[in-house]
Amino acid sequence: RNATVGGYSRGRVPAVVGLAEDQAAGVFGSLTLAKGQSGVTVVDISAPSPDHDFCAFGHCGPNNFIHYPGHGESHPPGPPNGCHHYVKHAYSLDCPFEANTKSLKVGFDSGAAFTNSSSATPGVLLGCEDQVVETKTYCFGPP
């Protein structure tokens, strides 16, 4: 199980490939919308680059990997090395969530749909930066 340490939730990586929304609750907490929320996303803001052309001086990242785009299945954490930071954001009803997420899929954020790790609030859905109502960060290491 996950433990909360210093505001972060840390845990072991689960040994599964894909998770239905209800199964993801054991990894990323509930993905069910609370009253007044338009959606929830989960993004690994510490992912290495999938394209070695983006690597420089032995460093490939960080990049965003979408683990839960707000619909469908989620992808469990499974970082190849180090502690990765998985940011879960919930958005208010003012966020055009469905329009901004309907084409998103689990995988690298190749379309730059989320803020990057150097922004003030990384892993936030673009267009909804001012509509974040809840943020939780989970840390997982390699399996």
Side-chain angles (χ1 to χ4, degrees), residues 36-37 39 89-93 131-135:
Q37 294 180 351
H89 292 293
Y91 305 90
S92 73
L93 295 175
Q131 288 88 35
V132 175
V133 294
E134 184 179 9
T135 298

Side-chain angles (χ1 to χ4, degrees), residues 55-79:
C55 299
F57 308 107
H59 184 68
C60 298
N63 292 279
N64 289 338
F65 186 93
I66 304 167
H67 281 263
Y68 182 67
H71 52 81
E73 290 190 343
S74 68
H75 187 76

Side-chain angles (χ1 to χ4, degrees), residues 43 45 64 89 109 112-127 129:
V43 176
I45 60 171
N64 289 338
H89 292 293
D109 182 18
F114 293 88
T115 57
N116 63 35
S117 62
S118 64
S119 70
T121 310
V124 174
L125 186 63
L126 291 176
E129 295 93 329

Side-chain angles (χ1 to χ4, degrees), residues 77-88:
N81 57 12
C83 176
H84 282 222
H85 300 87
Y86 300 81
V87 183
K88 179 172 85 170

